């Protein structure tokens, strides 16, 4: 009976005629069947009837609406619908990915320190000076600012994808104000409420302690004070990530402030409170560089704090992430990551980049223009998928416009072959269908260690064949499960007292009825 | 010839109503090099403030200060004593081919790019190219400076701090800042790396020791033709003991002498005075 329903649920899943059939499916190997990582998840899903799937999905939606009350109260719409099938990463896959992310963060830290200091990498002829000086986010205002513990990348979001062979590759680095970690925590919370049974069958590593790591990193960054005062600086409630700003401030137990709450006097930053002024030591800011200090940047910005940059220069306050980090996540500079890694660490990349053409090199420029209809062209700066042109999907008119833009500003563009992002089963209608995903792991640097949150934001493209995972393109998200090593004592999700069953019953067949009841009861609490 | 000069530069703002907060950066301290020796420099503000000093990306000394008590006028007085000498004629000289080399293009990229004040302009570039014909890079710098000198009419107060090289050229007049920007626009058009210099000019060549004259906040250019050397297109003269330099950058925006943010109603600049006294 379960065979019949399985055929329904996964019916035609690996259809060879599906778009991008060459993509790596994370659940199914075309020859060997279900991959080890997904074995238990598959065994749990397989017996479900399509109607069960719908019931589960509705339970998930209710849980989201439940939390959505919080969201709408704070003026936030939830941009990513959460899919009910989690994305699973094995302990060994994660360990490789984690090492690669740590290596990258370390190299980029050294790079930023050098670029805003002596620029030795340029003096040694490893990188052209023009590569740096032409970068839109190379902020000369930050030259000579040396953070007390040397950290500039307190939080990094390194976007990775899995190629046709299943190997992780870095698509882009985000070193300014990477957002999305609140979805990682909220997705997990929701999934744990709706699918406690699934967590009982897996050793999923916890993501709920992110704020502990962030706070530790921010406190470690403080300029020589024993009990530093940390604040989160937000542009305000109308910012699309305000929910995340307030969540992080709440979880860290620190003040959430706006620019007008802060004041610079004699290069010291103070927080205005009802009990008078409080000195501020570390500002975790979620405001772009350009709006941070009207003395140094956009003069009519009211979001920031006048005098903040020189307070940081004087060593009296730490801005996290540091000003000018955008020079490290410029997509042209990204193409030089192998050189940067070799220069500062003497290492080769543990995580390869996606092959990239540099439009500013004449030879590659010509090739990009020749093959515009098969390449993906991206602006070197900016995020959120803005300005990206998928050659194969573009009309001749769009390609012509893109050709003009690239010719006018070759430094502003890079091109990549279409990467067939890996697929994970995703609920589409009443069936599970392969849909393309990416992953943003979050790394936190406290100056001693780079901690990578075991999980990350998995974004999924919902339309069939779509490789664009941005929320504006109808993207959703998945809970990302990093499995604990078999013999480890790592805290797994829902292992604590009072949360689910601590015992693992690996070979047990999932029972549907009672679990659904459990889920529904939780909804009513 | 060597001079010792005292420079007292007074600038600031007057406000319609009292200002309770202001944040400022002054770039008013003369620099030190082979031609110029800074002996002493001091910055004073009224109302008084504690200044924080740092050296910016361009090597300029910056005095940053903030005010938190109500005031209707801010006065900044920068005083310094410098020893100056005449700039020797540039010794090294490159060819046009060398200026086009990848190495030069990379090293001096920032001084070859267009800015708001120094924009690309087809007609101006054509003029610059015609001036280049038959000349070496060094000779071209002199020819362009002379052309700018002859083309613009010096007119105090005609252009604000926001006008570009092209604005000044189309108006046919301007102040030293416009002369400098226009020269830069033409030099960059023919591939000569060039930068903006801010400083002071002593206006009386035959001044006696001890005599105080009314000097000027001034601007000129430096070009790279194998080494950096300066020229003064406003007066069509080479850089000598009457020039005191403070800062260099891509254009005015990188070296603006006094900039800041304040809370309050409209401000007017107070009269800027530069007193220059030849001490030796």
């Amino acid at each position: 009976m379960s065979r019949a329903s399985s055929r329904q649920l996964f019916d035609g899943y690996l259809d060879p005629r599906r778009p991008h059939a060459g993509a790596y499916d994370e659940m199914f190997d075309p020859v060997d069947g279900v991959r080890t990582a997904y074995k238990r998840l598959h065994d749990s899903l397989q017996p479900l009837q399509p109607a069960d799937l719908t019931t589960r999905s509705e339970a998930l939606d209710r849980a989201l609406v439940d939390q959505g009350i919080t969201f709408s109260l704070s003026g936030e719409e939830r941009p990513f619908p959460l899919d009910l099938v989690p994305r699973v990463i094995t302990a060994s896959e994660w360990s490789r990915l984690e090492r690669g992310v740590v290596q990258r963060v370390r190299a980029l830290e050294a790079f930023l320190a050098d670029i805003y200091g002596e620029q030795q990498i340029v003096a040694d002829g490893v990188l052209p000076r023009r590569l740096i000086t032409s970068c839109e986010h190379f902020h000369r205002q930050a030259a000579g600012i040396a953070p007390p513990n040397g950290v500039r990348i307190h939080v990094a979001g390194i976007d990775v994808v899995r190629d046709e062979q299943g190997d992780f590759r870095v698509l882009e680095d985000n070193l300014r104000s990477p957002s999305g970690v609140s979805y990682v925590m909220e997705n997990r919370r929701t999934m744990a409420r709706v699918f406690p049974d699934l967590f009982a069958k897996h050793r999923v590593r916890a993501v709920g302690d992110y704020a502990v790591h962030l706070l530790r990193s921010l406190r470690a960054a403080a300029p020589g004070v024993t009990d530093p005062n940390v604040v989160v600086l937000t542009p305000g409630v109308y910012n699309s990530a305000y929910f995340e700003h307030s969540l992080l401030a709440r979880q860290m137990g620190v003040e959430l402030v706006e620019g007008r709450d802060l004041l610079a006097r004699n290069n010291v930053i103070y927080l205005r409170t009802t009990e008078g002024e409080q000195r501020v030591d570390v500002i975790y800011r979620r405001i772009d560089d350009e709006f941070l200090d009207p003395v140094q940047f956009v003069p009519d910005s009211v979001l920031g704090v006048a005098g903040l940059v020189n307070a940081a220069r004087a060593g009296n306050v730490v801005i996290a992430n540091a000003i000018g980090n955008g020079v490290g996540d410029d997509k042209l500079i990204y193409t030089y990551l192998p050189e940067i890694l070799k220069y500062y660490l003497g290492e080769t990349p543990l995580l390869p980049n996606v092959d990239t053409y540099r439009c500013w090199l004449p030879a590659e420029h010509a090739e990009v223009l020749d093959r515009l209809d098969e390449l993906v062209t991206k602006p070197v700066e900016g995020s959120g998928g803005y300005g990206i042109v998928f050659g194969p999907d573009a009309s001749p008119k769009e390609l012509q416009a893109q050709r003009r833009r690239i010719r006018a500003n070759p430094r502003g563009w890079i091109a990549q072959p279409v990467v067939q992002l890996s697929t994970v089963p995703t609920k589409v209608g009443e069936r599970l269908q392969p849909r393309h995903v990416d992953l943003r792991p979050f790394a936190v640097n406290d100056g001693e260690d780079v901690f990578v949150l075991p999980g990350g934001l998995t974004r999924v493209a919902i339309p069939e064949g779509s490789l664009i995972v941005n929320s504006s393109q109808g993207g959703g998200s998945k809970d990302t499960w990093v499995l604990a090593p078999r013999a480890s004592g790592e805290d797994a999700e829902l292992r604590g007292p009072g949360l689910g069953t601590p015992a693992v019953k690996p070979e047990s067949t999932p029972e549907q009825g009672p679990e659904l009841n459990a889920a529904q009861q939780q909804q009513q609490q | 010839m060597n001079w010792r000069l005292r420079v007292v530069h007074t600038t600031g703002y007057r406000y319609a109503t009292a200002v309770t907060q202001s944040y400022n950066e002054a770039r008013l301290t003369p620099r030190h090099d082979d031609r110029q020796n800074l002996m002493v420099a001091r910055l004073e503000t009224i109302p008084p403030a504690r200044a924080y000093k740092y050296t910016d990306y361009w090597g300029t000394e910056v005095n940053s200060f903030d005010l938190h008590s109500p005031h209707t006028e801010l006065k900044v007085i920068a005083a310094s004593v410098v020893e100056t000498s005449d700039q020797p004629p540039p010794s090294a000289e490159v060819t046009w081919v060398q200026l086009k080399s990848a190495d030069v293009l990379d090293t001096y990229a920032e001084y070859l790019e267009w800015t708001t004040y120094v924009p690309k302009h087809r007609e101006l570039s054509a003029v610059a190219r015609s001036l280049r014909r038959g000349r070496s890079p060094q000779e071209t710098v002199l020819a362009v400076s002379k052309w700018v000198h002859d083309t613009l009419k010096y007119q105090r107060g005609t252009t604000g701090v926001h006008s570009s090289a092209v604005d000044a050229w189309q108006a046919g007049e301007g102040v030293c800042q416009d002369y400098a920007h226009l020269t830069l626009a033409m030099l960059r058009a023919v591939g000569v790396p060039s930068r903006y210099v801010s400083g002071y000019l002593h206006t009386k060549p035959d001044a006696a020791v001890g005599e105080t004259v009314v000097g000027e906040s001034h601007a000129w250019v430096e070009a790279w033709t194998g080494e950096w050397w300066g020229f003064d297109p406003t007066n069509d003269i080479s850089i000598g003991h009457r020039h005191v330099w403070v800062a260099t950058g891509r254009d005015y925006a990188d070296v603006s002498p006094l900039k800041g943010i304040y809370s309050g109603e409209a401000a007017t600049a107070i009269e800027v005075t530069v007193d220059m006294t030849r001490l030796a």
Side-chain angles (χ1 to χ4, degrees):
Chain A
M1 58 164 186
S2 69
R3 285 190 154 276
S5 59
S6 163
R7 268 205 299 279
Q8 281 178 24
L9 215 52
F10 286 102
D11 196 22
Y13 184 86
L14 282 188
D15 187 343
R17 290 162 305 173
R18 73 189 188 277
H20 310 299
Y24 179 90
D25 187 76
E26 299 196 9
M27 184 180 273
F28 293 100
D29 180 293
V31 181
D32 301 332
V34 181
R35 297 182 200 273
T36 325
Y38 280 86
K39 192 88 176 59
R40 281 191 189 141
L41 185 62
H42 179 260
D43 289 350
S44 306
L45 291 170
Q46 195 190 27
L48 293 183
Q49 300 289 335
D52 299 333
L53 198 67
T54 301
T55 314
R56 291 272 185 153
S57 172
E58 281 167 7
L60 195 66
D61 287 346
R62 276 196 305 274
L64 281 176
V65 168
D66 210 16
Q67 287 170 21
I69 295 164
T70 320
F71 292 167
S72 58
L73 267 179
S74 52
E76 160 81 348
E77 287 176 61
R78 189 184 180 87
F80 297 136
L82 173 59
D83 182 65
L84 57 75
V85 183
R87 193 242 192 115
V88 183
I89 297 173
T90 64
S92 63
E93 284 170 343
W94 178 255
S95 146
R96 273 200 303 279
L97 182 58
E98 186 181 34
R99 280 203 307 274
V101 168
V102 170
Q103 180 198 43
R104 218 165 162 102
V105 171
R106 288 202 188 286
L108 288 166
E109 281 280 15
F111 173 68
L112 289 174
D114 190 21
I115 289 310
Y116 289 108
E118 299 295 311
Q119 298 205 344
Q120 206 58 48
I121 196 169
V122 172
D124 288 343
V126 176
L127 295 186
R129 179 177 304 277
R130 207 153 48 99
L131 176 66
I132 310 300
T133 59
S134 62
C135 180
E136 191 175 326
H137 296 284
F138 170 53
H139 290 315
R140 291 164 178 85
Q141 294 92 328
I145 299 181
N149 74 340
V151 175
R152 285 177 175 77
I153 310 169
H154 303 82
V155 180
I158 309 293
D159 289 354
V160 296
V161 298
R162 299 183 80 163
D163 64 14
E164 290 85 338
Q165 282 71 48
D167 294 327
F168 282 107
R169 285 172 180 266
V170 176
L171 198 57
E172 65 179 68
D173 304 292
N174 295 279
L175 311 179
R176 285 172 271 167
S177 288
S179 67
V181 76
S182 57
Y183 296 116
V184 177
M185 293 186 282
E186 290 297 301
N187 284 353
R188 176 61 54 81
R189 208 157 66 93
T190 310
M191 289 291 284
R193 283 172 68 187
V194 180
F195 300 108
D197 52 321
L198 285 183
F199 285 93
K201 295 191 192 75
H202 291 84
R203 292 169 57 80
V204 180
R205 293 181 62 187
V207 295
D209 63 347
Y210 173 79
V212 174
H213 294 276
L214 178 59
L215 183 61
R216 183 165 64 214
S217 148
L218 296 173
R219 289 173 63 94
V225 273
T226 43
D227 188 19
N229 190 10
V230 176
V231 299
V232 176
L233 176 61
T234 175
V237 293
Y238 299 109
N239 186 275
S240 61
Y242 182 77
F243 169 73
E244 181 162 308
H245 307 161
S246 68
L247 181 77
L248 291 174
R250 196 165 64 241
Q251 291 194 347
M252 290 194 287
V254 305
E255 294 286 342
L256 177 66
V257 305
E258 294 182 30
R260 59 177 178 226
D261 301 322
L262 299 177
L263 159 78
R265 194 170 54 235
N266 285 327
N267 293 324
V268 175
I269 303 295
Y270 297 94
L271 171 64
R272 294 184 174 109
T273 74
T274 46
E275 286 119 51
E277 293 173 355
Q278 259 178 33
R279 189 176 165 144
V280 173
D281 303 297
V282 181
I283 299 177
Y284 179 53
R285 51 85 177 224
R286 299 293 297 261
I287 294 179
D288 291 346
D289 288 351
E290 289 79 3
F291 301 99
L292 207 50
D293 180 350
V295 179
Q296 304 291 342
F297 296 101
V298 180
D300 48 5
S301 164
V302 292
L303 297 176
V305 186
L308 179 55
V309 172
N310 283 345
R313 196 188 310 279
N316 296 329
V317 72
V318 168
I319 301 171
N321 287 357
I323 294 176
N325 278 9
V327 71
D329 63 23
D330 179 282
K331 290 190 189 67
L332 182 59
I333 288 187
Y334 153 95
T335 66
Y336 291 88
L337 232 288
E339 284 88 341
I340 290 172
L341 270 168
K342 181 155 182 279
Y343 182 77
Y344 295 108
L345 305 182
E347 296 173 6
T348 52
L350 297 173
L351 284 177
N353 279 358
V354 171
D355 299 334
T356 305
Y357 298 96
R358 306 155 180 176
C359 298
W360 87 320
L361 299 184
E364 300 184 18
H365 181 110
E367 181 164 2
V368 170
L369 293 183
D370 272 359
R371 299 176 49 204
L372 209 52
D373 57 344
E374 43 186 291
L375 296 172
V376 183
T377 43
K378 302 179 177 178
V380 295
E381 69 96 30
S383 48
Y386 178 78
I388 295 180
V389 172
F390 266 70
D393 300 343
S395 70
K397 208 173 158 189
E398 286 167 331
L399 287 178
Q400 197 50 41
Q402 185 68 346
R403 194 167 277 126
R404 270 198 302 275
R405 281 192 286 268
I406 294 172
R407 278 214 185 95
N409 178 20
R411 169 65 176 86
W413 297 89
I414 51 116
Q416 294 168 337
V418 176
V419 184
Q420 303 193 3
L421 312 186
S422 59
T423 53
V424 176
T426 301
K427 182 179 180 294
V428 177
E430 297 222 312
R431 287 188 307 169
L432 295 177
Q433 295 276 301
R435 288 295 181 265
H436 298 280
V437 295
D438 76 346
L439 174 64
R440 172 177 291 183
F442 291 88
V444 177
N445 187 2
D446 66 7
E448 304 270 322
D449 293 303
V450 179
F451 164 79
V452 187
L453 184 70
L457 182 60
T458 291
R459 296 185 299 182
V460 54
I462 302 296
E464 185 175 22
S466 171
L467 295 165
I468 306 171
V469 294
N470 296 97
S471 55
S472 58
Q473 309 289 322
S477 68
K478 283 174 171 290
D479 190 13
T480 310
W481 289 8
V482 173
L483 302 182
R486 206 158 293 168
S488 87
E490 303 244 25
D491 273 358
E493 206 69 72
L494 294 191
R495 292 290 150 151
L499 280 176
T501 338
V504 187
K505 291 185 281 177
E507 301 308 326
S508 70
T509 316
E511 296 174 17
Q512 300 154 30
E515 283 147 16
L516 278 178
N517 282 339
Q520 284 161 353
Q521 279 163 18
Q522 287 203 356
Q523 290 304 297
Q524 291 160 8
Q525 284 169 6
Chain B
M1 191 180 255
N2 292 339
W3 274 15
R4 184 180 302 161
L5 278 166
R6 183 174 63 221
V7 184
V8 181
H9 179 185
T10 308
T11 180
Y13 303 102
R14 192 167 292 133
Y15 310 101
T17 55
V19 163
T20 49
Q21 248 184 17
S22 90
Y23 296 86
N24 306 279
E25 285 196 342
R27 284 170 169 81
L28 295 169
T29 310
R31 293 281 296 282
H32 190 100
D33 68 359
D34 293 350
R35 194 187 67 77
Q36 176 173 304
N37 179 26
L38 174 66
M39 303 179 73
V40 61
R42 209 182 49 182
L43 187 104
E44 208 182 298
T45 65
I46 304 172
R50 191 169 1 145
Y52 166 73
K53 277 185 204 169
Y54 73 92
T55 304
D56 75 9
Y57 176 79
W58 307 102
T60 307
E61 183 173 309
V62 184
N63 277 274
S64 139
F65 58 93
D66 46 332
L67 298 166
H68 300 273
S69 52
H71 56 283
T72 50
E73 188 179 279
L74 166 64
K75 203 179 251 188
V76 179
I77 304 129
S80 57
V81 176
V82 288
E83 288 177 335
T84 56
S85 57
D86 296 332
Q87 171 190 269
S91 52
E93 162 120 54
V94 288
T95 61
W96 289 110
V97 173
Q98 284 169 309
L99 278 184
K100 282 254 172 292
S101 74
D103 195 36
V104 169
L105 291 179
D106 189 57
T107 306
Y108 301 103
E110 282 169 306
Y111 302 109
L112 287 166
E113 281 157 14
W114 306 110
T115 70
T116 317
Y117 287 114
V118 185
K120 184 178 186 171
H121 191 273
R122 189 196 296 253
E123 236 177 294
L124 274 177
S125 302
V127 176
R129 279 196 300 275
S130 72
L131 289 169
R132 179 180 72 177
R133 215 161 290 136
R135 291 193 170 93
S136 71
Q138 239 174 62
E139 291 163 353
T140 304
V141 173
L142 297 175
V144 165
S145 295
K146 173 134 182 47
W147 185 88
V148 170
H149 174 79
D150 294 346
T151 303
L152 291 187
K153 179 164 171 279
Y154 193 87
Q155 194 74 48
R156 204 180 288 274
T158 46
T159 51
V161 289
H162 296 297
S163 55
S164 75
V166 172
D167 297 334
W169 174 59
Q170 282 164 350
E173 55 186 23
V175 294
C176 55
Q177 177 184 314
D178 304 302
Y179 282 74
H181 284 149
L182 184 53
T183 309
L184 294 178
M186 296 176 70
L187 290 179
R188 290 179 195 175
V190 291
V192 177
S194 52
R195 63 192 183 192
Y196 186 98
V197 188
S198 74
Y200 304 104
L201 178 68
H202 186 290
T203 45
K204 193 171 175 192
D206 56 351
V209 171
E211 185 185 350
T212 299
V213 305
V214 174
E216 277 174 348
S217 264
H218 197 46
W220 58 94
V221 302
E222 282 184 358
W224 192 90
T225 57
E227 63 178 326
W228 285 108
W229 59 287
F231 198 80
D232 181 348
T234 310
N235 302 297
D236 194 28
I237 55 173
S238 53
I239 303 307
H241 54 272
R242 293 192 292 130
H243 290 87
V244 175
W245 77 283
V246 169
T248 63
R250 291 164 298 184
D251 64 13
Y252 175 81
D254 287 335
V255 302
S256 52
L258 181 62
K259 64 164 191 173
I261 292 287
Y262 67 97
S263 55
E265 290 173 44
T268 47
I270 65 169
E271 194 193 349
V272 176
T273 60
V274 180
D275 289 333
M276 298 181 82
T277 310
R278 186 180 164 194
L279 300 176

